[in-house]
Amino acid sequence: ILASILSLIIYWLIRDRYRVRNLNGKHVFITGCDTGLGHSLAKWLDKKGFCVIAACTTGKGSQELQSCSSLSLKTVNLNLADSNSIARAVEFVTEQTAGKGLFGLVSNAEGTAPVGPTDWLRIEDFRSVLDVSLLGLIEITLKLLPLLKKAEGRVVNLINAKSLMAFVGGGYSLSKWGMEAFSDTLRREMQHFGVKVSIVEHGFFKAEVVNSDIIEKYLFKLWNRLTPEIRDSYGEKYF
């Protein structure tokens, strides 16, 4: 038993000392780079010497990122709820990698999630989140797998740790649990091709998505559109 434990500790120490070498020419594609974690990661990898391709949802996000990065960092517009936009982004990544394959895909984008009791929601409220945070992520991953297999690269899916607990109604937790299942299945399947798949479960960040004003705005919007019957069943005190 002691020998097994010591062997495991030695393996961990050796594994954790490993660093990626020859960063120049290695392409990494990151989604959700307008602000927050994706934005910071794109700048950090750019400084490390990776060839970063950053996907932003707005022109403003692209301009702000390019203004504080090297000339090697490229940006592309991406709407994960739109298959045509995904296809254009994949074509851009294919052109940029120029036959080398894709070293890394980091999925970070999140759909806007109404927060409130399930009884207050409509099916489009679920779709607005799932189309971006789950189905969009799956679609762009599938389309980039040939490039990832060619480079024996890696997929890293960033998931908020609150995905481990379904404490609010809507599609947010559904999308995160779906990402966990998709990632775990893909991880086993891609081992044969030398592609690594990882989940990084991060905590809360001081960002717009957790702003209490936005959450309150959503609550008022949901409450005001309820039918009188449903509103009466909850009552003003509950609200």
Side-chain angles (χ1 to χ4, degrees):
I1 293 173
L2 284 174
S4 299
I5 293 173
L6 285 173
S7 298
L8 191 58
I9 292 173
I10 292 170
Y11 165 74
W12 274 339
L13 290 173
I14 293 174
R15 185 195 64 174
D16 290 348
R17 286 172 60 88
Y18 176 74
R19 294 292 181 269
V20 177
R21 308 287 182 186
N22 303 318
L23 305 185
N24 291 331
K26 286 183 167 62
H27 290 81
V28 180
F29 179 57
I30 310 169
T31 66
C33 294
D34 292 84
T35 58
L37 187 56
H39 184 90
S40 298
L41 180 62
K43 291 194 295 183
W44 187 76
L45 291 180
D46 177 55
K47 290 179 181 178
K48 288 289 183 180
F50 284 99
C51 298
V52 177
I53 306 171
C56 299
T57 57
T58 64
K60 180 182 177 182
S62 296
Q63 290 172 2
E64 289 180 352
L65 185 57
Q66 288 175 326
S67 67
C68 55
S69 305
S70 73
L71 294 176
S72 66
L73 183 143
K74 308 296 182 184
T75 61
V76 61
N77 183 267
L78 176 62
N79 177 7
L80 283 172
D82 183 356
S83 293
N84 292 327
S85 178
I86 290 174
R88 288 191 294 269
V90 170
E91 183 179 358
F92 182 80
V93 173
T94 304
E95 292 173 354
Q96 292 296 315
T97 54
K100 298 178 182 178
L102 184 61
F103 180 75
L105 166 62
V106 183
S107 292
N108 172 58
E110 293 189 341
T112 304
V115 176
T118 301
D119 198 20
W120 296 13
L121 303 173
R122 300 171 182 172
I123 191 63
E124 54 263 31
D125 297 321
F126 288 85
R127 288 197 181 106
S128 67
V129 183
L130 296 175
D131 283 349
V132 173
S133 297
L134 182 58
L135 298 179
L137 174 143
I138 292 173
E139 183 174 356
I140 199 163
T141 302
L142 293 177
K143 290 185 175 180
L144 289 173
L145 279 180
L147 294 178
L148 289 160
K149 288 159 68 175
K150 187 168 188 176
E152 293 189 357
R154 65 279 318 279
V155 177
V156 180
N157 289 329
L158 305 181
I159 301 177
N160 197 304
K162 62 187 175 186
S163 66
L164 302 177
M165 196 166 100
F167 62 90
V168 65
Y172 192 84
S173 293
L174 289 176
S175 69
K176 300 310 173 186
W177 289 12
M179 284 174 66
E180 296 261 0
F182 174 72
S183 302
D184 207 26
T185 303
L186 190 67
R187 174 183 61 83
R188 290 191 295 270
E189 294 170 347
M190 287 295 109
Q191 283 179 341
H192 175 73
F193 301 99
V195 175
K196 299 178 177 66
V197 179
S198 304
I199 300 169
V200 176
E201 293 171 343
H202 59 82
F204 286 95
F205 290 86
K206 188 177 182 181
E208 187 179 27
V209 290
V210 293
N211 189 304
S212 59
D213 292 336
I214 293 178
I215 295 174
E216 184 175 325
K217 179 182 176 181
Y218 271 124
L219 277 173
F220 274 105
K221 180 180 178 181
L222 294 174
W223 176 256
N224 290 329
R225 79 177 187 190
L226 290 176
T227 63
E229 291 80 12
I230 295 179
R231 197 181 297 142
D232 290 344
S233 70
Y234 283 91
E236 290 287 343
K237 185 178 180 181
Y238 181 95
F239 179 62

